[in-house]
């Protein structure tokens, strides 16, 4: 069987998830190299992933490693130049979201993708590969809720992980670019239309460190779409019960709700406190299957010479909208998108 040889860059919170999937779960892929600026992560690659070929310098990995493809899971501000360098070195590229933290960077990545049409490029909007979201999209496309006119999205990280979010705040691009970007992508996907205007606000009640980093711990944004549809997203970092990702799509003939209660599993605990449903505690748990499914699709696309459903242009659009949302949050004014 032909195997895609992959080098991963970034072995932090999510990098470890992708790396383990490539190394142990995808039979037509092989993790042959790893790169990180954190020495402990290179030790992790050797000890836990069985990768002997490790690099502290990304360009050195591109030049020397025996790889067909690169998986980029670094800090968001690094994605675009790393995408361009990998494509110019003849590699297929999977990059985590967001594509870039500003539109100029995204355009640079777009140009690189256009220069190399024979290389596969995929962006990590993994929710499109989650079974429930994919099911919702199928139902919408089949007309089962009529015309979708409103998406209401909630995405709140658990309070238990808040210290990591505080450390991440300075380089995340801000709460809207970092968190709402998934909802922005899904709104465009479900509504089949582009956002034209946004109004946003934020607040910090529990952890002043977010404000000190120039961010907020929670935020709400309201979008208007070209076709008249609407979107609302509520993002945050302090859900006491777990990782709360919920999406509702309202149409003229019906509604679809995805994960209204972010259940850990189908078990219910009946005791003196009543009936308890435990919740998922983080993105690696909630979207474990989706991270695997998207990487399997990337590997298939690269081996078969195809492009996946999520394109570089989805990355630019979502960053453009995320950026406009951040501007609306900062200025307190409605911002036109386009
Ligand atoms: N799709 C999702 O649901 C999802 C979830 C979490 C994170 N992400 C995205 O994944 C990316 C990584 O997030 P994380 O939470 O794993 O961050 P992290 O801070 O835990 O890890 C980032 C890693 O990148 C490495 N790195 C940074 N710059 C580098 C460089 N120039 N060369 C080599 N290595 C470099 C760091 O050493 C670290 O290993 C971010 O862009 C984030 O937005 C996506």
């Amino acid at each position: 069987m032909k195997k895609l040889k992959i080098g991963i860059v970034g072995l932090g919170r999510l990098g470890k998830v992708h790396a383990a999937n490539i190394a142990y779960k995808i039979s037509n892929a092989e993790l042959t190299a790893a790169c990180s600026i954190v020495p402990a992560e290179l030790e992790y690659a050797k000890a836990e992933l069985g990768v002997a070929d490790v690099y502290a310098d990304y360009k050195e990995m591109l030049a020397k490693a025996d790889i067909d493809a690169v998986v980029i899971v670094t800090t968001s501000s690094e994605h675009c130049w790393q995408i361009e360098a990998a494509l110019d070195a003849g590699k297929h590229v999977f990059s985590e979201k967001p594509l870039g933290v500003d539109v100029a960077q995204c355009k640079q990545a777009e140009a690189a993708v256009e220069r190399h049409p024979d290389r596969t490029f995929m962006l990590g909007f993994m929710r499109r590969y989650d079974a429930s979201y994919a099911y919702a999209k199928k139902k919408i496309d089949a007309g089962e809720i009529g015309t979708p006119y409103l998406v209401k999205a909630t995405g709140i990280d658990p309070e238990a992980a808040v210290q990591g979010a505080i450390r991440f705040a300075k380089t995340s691009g801000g709460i809207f670019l970092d968190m709402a970007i998934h909802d922005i992508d899904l709104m465009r996907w479900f509504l089949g239309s582009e956002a034209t205007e946004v109004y946003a606000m934020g607040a910090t009640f529990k952890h002043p460190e977010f404000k000190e980093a120039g961010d907020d711990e929670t935020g709400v944004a309201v979008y208007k779409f070209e076709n008249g549809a609407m979107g609302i997203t509520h993002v945050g970092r302090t859900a006491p019960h777990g990782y709360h990702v919920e999406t509702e799509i309202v149409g003229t003939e019906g509604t679809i709700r995805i994960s209204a209660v972010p259940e850990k599993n189908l078990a219910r605990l009946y005791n003196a406190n009543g009936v308890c449903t435990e919740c998922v505690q983080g993105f690696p748990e909630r979207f474990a299957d989706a991270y695997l499914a998207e990487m399997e699709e990337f590997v298939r696309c690269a081996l078969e010479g195809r492009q996946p459903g999520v394109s570089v242009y989805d990355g630019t659009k979502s960053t453009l909208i995320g950026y406009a949302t951040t501007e609306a949050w900062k200025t307190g004014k409605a911002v036109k998108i386009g």
Side-chain angles (χ1 to χ4, degrees), residues 1-5 27-29 68 303:
M1 183 203 308
K2 166 112 175 88
K3 288 193 178 194
L4 191 74
K5 291 181 192 161
S27 57
N28 51 355
D68 309 308
L303 289 173

Side-chain angles (χ1 to χ4, degrees), residues 9-16 18 35-38 41 55-58 72-79 81-82 96-98 124-127 168 171-172 177-178 182 243 283 287 291 294:
V9 56
L11 283 166
R13 292 184 308 169
L14 185 58
K16 289 190 177 76
H18 284 312
C35 170
S36 171
I37 50 175
V38 178
E41 293 179 2
Y55 299 85
D57 182 81
Y58 177 64
I72 298 169
V73 205
T74 49
T75 312
S76 303
S77 53
E78 304 291 294
H79 295 176
W81 77 263
Q82 292 184 335
E96 258 312 321
K97 52 61 53 177
F125 280 137
M126 81 299 178
R127 289 194 197 172
F168 190 62
T171 55
S172 72
L177 257 177
D178 182 42
H182 286 294
Y243 177 63
F283 60 84
F287 290 108
Y291 291 123
E294 70 173 353

Side-chain angles (χ1 to χ4, degrees), residues 34-86:
C35 170
S36 171
I37 50 175
V38 178
E41 293 179 2
L42 299 181
E43 288 311 311
Y44 175 91
K46 289 183 194 164
E48 305 294 327
L49 302 166
V51 177
D53 195 19
V54 300
Y55 299 85
D57 182 81
Y58 177 64
K59 286 187 176 160
E60 196 185 337
M61 178 172 85
L62 291 181
K64 294 188 181 161
D66 180 18
I67 51 177
D68 309 308
V70 172
V71 167
I72 298 169
V73 205
T74 49
T75 312
S76 303
S77 53
E78 304 291 294
H79 295 176
C80 286
W81 77 263
Q82 292 184 335
I83 291 168
E84 184 177 29

